[in-house]
């Protein structure tokens, strides 16, 4: 057992932390609330190779592991970075597997965030659809020109974004969301069909959720720091409010849940190669738990601020809103927990598969 | 990173499963649950004979030198199987503590007998007037020649009725701050002046109250210096908090999962109800997180790193999440969930009833969740001491 990062992972963390501290203070996040996307910050990401980190060498990538990608996602969450790191990483890896010659892959590898993904939602969330002809809210749908989607067992690219996407729709998380018409009848390029297509989307969905789990954990970690800093500084009744158990204990409970979320995301990333049977389930767990933890922590940290937490002037509300948004865009925790149950207890629908609890030895 | 416990742990798992298959029948399991004392001499001695009581102690003292991952696996498998293992746990801790902090006499006289399964110890910290405030102990030890006389009441001394000794926290001075006047004694249970009374619990666990009247104990039975017992207690308490109940959570969710996949009286699988599915997912996530936190504590210990508040995190999360789940499930499964194992119509072998009755104590003993949260707030978040 070894739960520490290796030297190259530590360097990766240091590099991105340094860049984000400099380039993405919360003022930068605020300055981009009107678009949800920072082109200049994305350029910095690309400079450090973030756009192609997870791609195979043949596609111009660095062939780094999901754990490496996760570490970057985690730091991005801490900084609330308004960049499409999750979508670019996920779509790029999907294309590299099923359509390595596809032009969209070249664009992503070249640093253009031109493609996003319509995440499948197996438990029918009200008012959304990812099937052909349906309208779907797409993360970074405002800047993408193409969206990868699954319709039945057909994996395709909805092209020609200009004719498909709505204007940016404003959301709680100040994201770069747009409605997309995913109609497959025209301007669609089929990537794969049958089992291969379904498996490829399942995999991409799992990877997005895994990285989102890291990202959400990052949001929670930063929110906790902001909350506990405030609890040490704010004086009421002549003492720091952090000395009141009603303030301290909920924060401590968040610290505990956050450690669990981080370990869970790391375990899932590690399982990609070391425990592949459990990989998908762990990704799903990482997203569900990351969601619950980030939303709860941002809430506790906000309330630690009293009235000031509710004012736009204080940063904690930025975290409160984005934790909710990143979770909901993929359906939210309640939806995801059902997927966890299916993957854990009934992978093949037969009701006979052994449960996946217990971990690798 | 590597999340595996390793090959040696895997071997222990197989070994213990074989041991359980050969020595621990379904009847034994039910008997242990019925008895609730947490210790069974016959079974315990079989474990001792196979070297498991002393498995985690350092080799140079005659222990098994097994690594923390192997010991984790040992406890995990026994606990999950419903084996009465509290005696093993206590004696593992105490044997280890005596080796590290005891005298040559303790190492020669007590340690080999603990290892062989001849004698067992109960933990005597809590009293009627002091629980969370462990250092508030008022049972007194006063010197009388070469001996000490012990007086007062201990409470919640689990396994005292089957143990030969109690590892007892006593007050030897009231001159200084409370935790500076404490000393530890190994107090025999079969001598004059010791009276042990059963305390029964909602979860079926049996504990004890112990009253002590002029109980004579030789000075040789003192562990650590006079008035410096607090450091000994801290060492032993730390070992306990880093564990949690992930093993039981895993058993609980596995039984709930298996139950949900069988068609119920209406021909439907509970699993196909979205509410059940969501709760299964939640419980599975909690079990996985508890397991990871426990593995991390074990890893930190194995690496000789400082646990900080990480041990407290393990127990706190596990205790609260298991309790939450047990309560949520009860609300979902309807009246049949109330029935005990073997009652007509009981669900999942009484899984829900058992968890509902047993989980409240997990956030209480070995340090309440409130105490653990204060510790995490202070140590990990740097917040002021809160009381
Ligand atoms: C089944 C069982 C077995 C046990 N076995 C053993 C054993 O073998 N050996 C042994 O020594 N003990 C044992 N215990 C005792 C156990 O460790 C204590 O019950 C526990 O530490 C709590 O102490 P208390 O019950 O006196 O509660 P109290 O300390 O009186 O606490 C009451 C409530 O006040 C809260 N509280 C107390 N202080 C604070 C504070 N500073 N800040 C915030 N909240 C606070 C507590 O969290 C709790 O909710 C056992 C208990 C049980 C129930």
């Amino acid at each position: 057992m070894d739960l520490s990062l290796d030297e190259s992972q530590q360097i990766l963390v240091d590099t991105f932390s340094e860049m984000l501290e400099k380039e993405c203070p919360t003022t930068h996040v605020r300055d981009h609330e009107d678009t949800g996307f920072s082109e200049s910050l994305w350029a910095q990401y690309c400079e450090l190779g973030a756009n192609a980190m997870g791609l195979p060498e043949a596609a111009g990538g660095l062939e780094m592991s999901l754990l490496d990608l996760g570490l970057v996602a985690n730091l991005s969450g801490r900084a609330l970075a308004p960049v499409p790191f999750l979508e670019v990483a996920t779509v790029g890896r999907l294309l590299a597997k099923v359509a390595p010659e596809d032009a969209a892959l070249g664009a992503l590898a070249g640093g253009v965030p031109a493609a996003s993904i319509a995440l499948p939602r197996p438990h029918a969330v009200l008012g959304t659809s990812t099937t052909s002809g349906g309208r779907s809210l797409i993360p970074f749908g405002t800047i993408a020109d193409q969206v990868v989607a699954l319709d039945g067992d057909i994996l395709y690219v909805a092209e020609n974004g200009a004719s498909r996407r709505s204007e940016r729709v404003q959301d709680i998380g100040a994201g770069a969301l747009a409605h997309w018409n995913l109609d497959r009848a025209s301007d669609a390029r089929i990537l794969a069909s049958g089992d291969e297509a379904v498996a490829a989307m399942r995999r991409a969905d799992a990877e997005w959720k895994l990285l989102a789990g890291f990202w959400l954990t990052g949001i929670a970690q930063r929110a906790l720091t902001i909350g506990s800093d405030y609890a040490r500084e704010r004086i009421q009744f002549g003492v720091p409010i952090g000395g009141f158990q009603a303030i301290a204990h909920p924060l401590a409970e968040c610290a505990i849940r956050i450690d669990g979320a981080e370990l869970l995301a790391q375990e899932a990333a590690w399982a990609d190669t070391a425990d592949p049977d459990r990989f998908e389930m762990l990704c799903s767990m990482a997203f569900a738990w990351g969601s619950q933890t980030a939303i709860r922590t941002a809430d506790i940290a906000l309330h630690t601020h009293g009235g000031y937490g509710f004012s736009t002037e204080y940063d904690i509300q930025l975290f409160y809103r984005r934790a909710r948004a990143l979770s909901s865009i993929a359906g939210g925790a309640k939806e995801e927990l059902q997927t966890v149950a299916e993957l854990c207890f009934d992978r093949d629908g037969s009701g006979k598969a052994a449960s996946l609890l217990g971990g690798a030895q | 990173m590597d999340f595996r416990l390793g090959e040696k742990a895997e071997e222990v798992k197989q070994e213990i499963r074989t041991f359980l298959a050969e020595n621990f029948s379904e009847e034994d399991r039910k008997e242990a649950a019925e008895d609730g004392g947490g210790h069974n001499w016959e079974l315990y001695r079989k474990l001792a004979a196979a070297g498991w009581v002393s498995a985690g102690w350092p080799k140079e003292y005659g222990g098994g030198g097994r690594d923390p991952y192997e010991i984790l696996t040992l406890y995990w498998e026994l606990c999950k199987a419903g084996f009465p293992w509290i005696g093993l746990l206590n004696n593992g801790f105490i044997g280890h503590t005596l080796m590290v902090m005891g005298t040559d006499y303790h190492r020669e006289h007590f340690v080999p007998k603990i290892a062989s399964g001849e004698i067992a110890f109960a933990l005597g910290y809590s009293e009627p007037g002091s629980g969370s405030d462990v250092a508030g102990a008022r049972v007194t030890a006063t010197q009388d020649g070469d001996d000490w006389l012990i007086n007062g009441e201990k409470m919640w001394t689990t396994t005292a009725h089957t143990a030969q000794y109690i590892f007892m926290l006593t007050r030897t001075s009231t001159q200084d701050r409370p935790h500076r006047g404490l000393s530890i004694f190994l107090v025999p249970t079969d001598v004059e002046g010791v009276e042990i009374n059963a305390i029964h619990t909602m979860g079926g666990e049996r504990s004890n109250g112990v009253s002590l009247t002029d109980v004579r104990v030789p000075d040789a039975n003192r562990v650590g210096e006079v008035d410096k017992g607090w450091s000994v207690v801290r060492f032993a308490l730390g070992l306990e908090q880093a564990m949690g109940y992930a093993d039981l959570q895993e058993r609980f969710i596995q039984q709930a999962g298996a139950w949900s996949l069988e068609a119920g009286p209406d021909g439907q699988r509970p699993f196909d109800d979205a509410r059940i599915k969501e709760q299964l997912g939640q419980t599975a996530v909690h079990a996985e997180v508890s397991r990871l936190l426990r593995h991390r504590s074990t890893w930190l210990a194995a690496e000789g790193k400082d646990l900080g508040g990480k041990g407290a995190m393990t127990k706190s999360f596990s205790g609260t999440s298991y309790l939450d789940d047990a309560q949520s499930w009860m609300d979902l499964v309807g009246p049949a969930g109330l029935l005990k194992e073997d009652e007509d119509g009981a669900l999942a072998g009484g899984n829900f009833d058992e968890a509902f009755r047993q989980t409240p104590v997990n956030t209480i003993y070995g340090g309440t969740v409130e105490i653990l949260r204060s510790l995490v707030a202070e140590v990990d978040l740097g917040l002021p001491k809160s009381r």
Side-chain angles (χ1 to χ4, degrees):
Chain A
M1 173 158 283
D2 181 6
L3 301 183
S4 58
L5 300 180
D6 67 25
E7 207 179 318
S8 68
Q9 286 161 343
Q10 200 51 58
I11 292 171
L12 181 72
V13 167
D14 293 344
T15 310
F16 273 86
S17 304
E18 216 169 282
M19 182 275 282
L20 284 162
E21 205 169 307
K22 202 159 111 245
E23 307 290 340
C24 192
T26 49
T27 47
H28 188 82
V29 177
R30 288 168 180 275
D31 288 346
H32 292 82
E33 289 222 298
D34 57 345
T35 59
F37 172 55
S38 162
E39 210 171 335
S40 63
L41 184 62
W42 181 245
Q44 297 288 335
Y45 267 69
C46 293
E47 192 131 303
L48 297 179
N51 54 311
M53 275 174 61
L55 297 178
E57 253 175 63
L62 301 171
E63 256 176 81
M64 291 166 81
S65 70
L66 282 176
L67 180 55
D68 297 328
L69 292 171
L71 295 171
V72 173
N74 177 265
L75 296 167
S76 306
R78 290 180 198 230
L80 301 181
V83 294
F85 177 73
L86 302 182
E87 291 70 27
V88 168
T90 311
V91 175
R93 288 166 62 87
L94 170 73
L95 291 173
K97 197 164 298 152
V98 298
E101 306 300 327
D102 200 279
L105 179 57
L108 294 175
V112 185
S116 189
I117 184 167
L119 296 164
R121 298 195 187 91
H123 304 104
V125 178
L126 292 177
T128 64
S129 158
T130 56
T131 52
S132 176
R135 239 159 59 111
S136 187
L137 268 178
I138 303 295
F140 291 93
T142 54
I143 56 168
D145 197 42
Q146 314 206 332
V147 165
V148 178
L150 184 75
D151 178 20
D153 66 352
I154 296 186
L155 185 71
Y156 66 104
V157 178
E159 304 174 310
N160 193 7
S163 70
R164 291 177 178 275
R165 62 169 174 248
S166 68
E167 292 287 297
R168 173 174 185 248
V169 280
Q170 293 198 29
D171 77 296
I172 283 177
L177 296 186
H179 289 293
W180 272 61
N181 174 352
L182 295 173
D183 187 5
R184 193 158 60 74
S186 61
D187 289 333
R189 183 161 94 244
I190 292 180
L191 295 173
S193 59
D195 291 348
E196 188 202 354
V198 174
M201 184 52 105
R202 269 183 83 141
R203 172 81 198 184
D205 184 40
E207 289 188 2
W208 188 94
K209 284 183 177 143
L210 167 62
L211 298 179
F214 274 103
W215 192 296
L216 287 157
T217 304
I219 295 181
Q221 285 163 326
R222 181 80 175 283
L224 179 67
T225 304
I226 293 172
S228 13
D229 285 350
Y230 193 83
R232 272 191 299 273
E233 285 154 19
R234 173 73 173 170
I235 309 283
Q236 286 293 284
F237 302 97
V239 292
I241 55 170
F244 304 135
Q245 291 186 343
I247 293 290
H249 285 190
L251 289 170
E253 181 60 28
C254 290
I256 297 169
R257 285 160 183 259
I258 288 171
D259 276 17
E262 184 166 49
L263 285 163
L264 189 49
Q266 289 173 342
E267 186 192 26
W270 166 83
D272 177 24
T273 50
D275 191 8
D277 283 350
R278 301 205 327 138
F279 172 70
E280 261 189 48
M281 177 193 73
L282 290 170
C283 290
S284 184
M285 284 186 168
F287 179 70
W289 188 245
S291 294
Q292 292 180 316
T293 302
I295 289 164
R296 181 184 183 123
T297 304
D299 176 43
I300 298 293
L302 186 146
H303 282 97
T304 297
H305 287 69
Y308 298 99
F310 199 55
S311 78
T312 51
E313 190 189 328
Y314 279 73
D315 282 342
I316 193 62
Q317 51 89 12
L318 300 171
F319 293 80
Y320 183 85
R321 293 190 286 119
R322 279 166 181 77
R324 179 70 265 171
L326 184 57
S327 173
S328 285
I329 199 67
K334 284 179 189 288
E335 147 115 4
E336 196 61 34
L337 289 173
Q338 297 184 47
T339 304
V340 168
E342 284 162 7
L343 293 172
C344 183
F345 295 103
D346 199 18
R347 271 169 297 160
D348 53 9
S350 71
K352 302 271 183 290
S355 96
L356 288 180
L357 284 164
Q361 281 292 332
Chain B
M1 299 188 96
D2 185 358
F3 284 81
R4 276 172 293 230
L5 292 178
E7 264 168 47
K8 284 196 283 176
E10 180 63 23
E11 279 165 27
V12 169
K13 180 164 133 188
Q14 299 315 330
E15 216 173 306
I16 296 300
R17 287 188 179 177
T18 308
F19 173 87
L20 288 168
E22 286 169 0
N23 297 293
F24 189 56
S25 66
E26 177 62 10
E27 223 161 87
D28 291 333
R29 184 188 66 76
K30 284 189 177 161
E31 206 181 294
E34 187 67 32
D35 173 64
H39 183 70
N40 171 315
W41 275 110
E42 199 189 323
L43 292 167
Y44 180 75
R45 291 204 164 114
K46 284 185 188 165
L47 273 181
W52 289 115
V53 173
S54 54
W57 307 350
K59 260 206 170 111
E60 61 263 38
Y61 296 116
R66 302 270 191 166
D67 68 34
Y69 308 116
E70 293 176 90
I71 298 305
L72 167 94
T73 308
L74 165 70
Y75 292 163
W76 189 282
E77 293 300 322
L78 292 176
C79 186
K80 212 177 151 184
F83 190 92
W85 68 300
I86 306 289
L88 178 75
L89 183 70
N90 283 351
N91 289 290
F93 289 156
I94 289 163
H96 199 156
T97 308
L98 289 181
M99 278 181 173
V100 178
M101 302 187 152
T103 60
D104 285 344
Y105 168 72
H106 299 150
R107 279 189 281 270
E108 279 154 29
H109 186 74
F110 293 108
V111 170
K113 287 186 190 164
I114 298 176
S116 66
E118 200 177 319
I119 58 171
F121 285 76
L123 288 177
Y125 307 138
S126 304
E127 298 181 8
S130 60
S132 300
D133 183 13
V134 182
R138 276 186 292 209
V139 163
T140 55
T142 36
Q143 199 143 19
D144 183 40
D146 281 344
D147 296 335
W148 294 78
L149 289 178
I150 303 198
N151 281 286
E153 301 271 337
K154 284 286 168 188
M155 181 64 183
W156 299 114
T157 322
T158 309
T159 71
H161 64 299
T162 49
Q164 287 82 357
Y165 293 90
I166 301 172
F167 185 85
M168 194 177 290
L169 182 68
T170 64
R171 177 145 314 278
T172 37
S173 160
T174 49
Q175 300 304 308
D176 205 334
R177 306 236 303 272
H179 61 273
R180 296 224 179 102
L182 297 165
S183 306
I184 299 269
F185 289 93
L186 307 177
V187 179
T189 52
D190 63 353
V191 295
E192 217 180 292
V194 177
E195 195 187 309
I196 298 174
N197 297 302
I199 292 176
H200 299 285
T201 69
M202 178 176 75
E205 272 176 69
R206 178 226 156 118
S207 191
N208 303 285
V210 180
S211 79
L212 304 130
T213 317
D214 285 337
V215 177
R216 187 168 288 277
V217 176
D219 186 56
N221 283 22
R222 176 169 47 80
V223 184
E225 286 176 54
V226 177
D227 294 344
K228 304 244 166 83
W230 185 236
S231 55
V232 183
V233 175
R234 290 255 300 241
F235 176 78
L237 272 180
L239 290 171
E240 189 176 340
Q241 287 172 357
M243 295 186 38
Y245 316 95
D247 35 26
L248 292 175
Q249 288 177 279
E250 194 171 290
R251 185 180 68 183
F252 175 70
I253 178 66
Q254 278 172 345
Q255 290 188 4
W259 165 77
S260 74
L261 289 164
E262 299 282 330
D266 59 355
Q268 308 286 316
R269 301 192 310 175
F271 187 82
D272 296 318
D273 181 320
R275 297 169 303 173
I276 297 278
K277 214 184 259 186
E278 187 189 320
Q279 188 57 45
L280 277 169
Q282 186 75 75
T283 312
V285 168
H286 286 159
E288 186 72 18
V289 170
S290 290
R291 195 176 65 88
L292 286 167
L293 289 171
R294 178 156 169 188
H295 284 193
R296 180 182 59 176
S297 297
T298 310
W299 174 69
L300 288 169
E303 297 284 306
K305 296 188 191 196
D306 180 21
L307 257 76
K310 309 290 189 278
M313 286 190 177
T314 303
K315 186 177 176 303
S316 170
F317 181 78
S318 184
T320 49
S321 62
Y322 190 16
L323 175 62
D324 279 357
D325 285 330
Q327 292 173 343
S328 300
W329 274 101
M330 209 42 144
D331 200 32
L332 270 177
V333 298
L338 303 170
L339 303 180
K340 297 199 165 159
E341 181 175 15
D342 293 338
E343 289 301 311
D344 182 13
L347 296 185
N351 193 40
F352 302 115
D353 152 69
E354 187 188 73
F356 188 82
R357 284 185 295 106
Q358 291 184 346
T359 48
V361 80
N362 297 348
T363 57
I364 300 170
Y365 55 21
T368 68
V369 67
E370 288 77 18
I371 296 299
L372 300 177
R373 282 178 183 151
S374 284
L375 201 117
V376 172
E378 282 165 37
V379 176
D380 294 84
L381 298 179
L383 296 179
K385 215 174 176 59
S386 64
R387 267 237 166 89

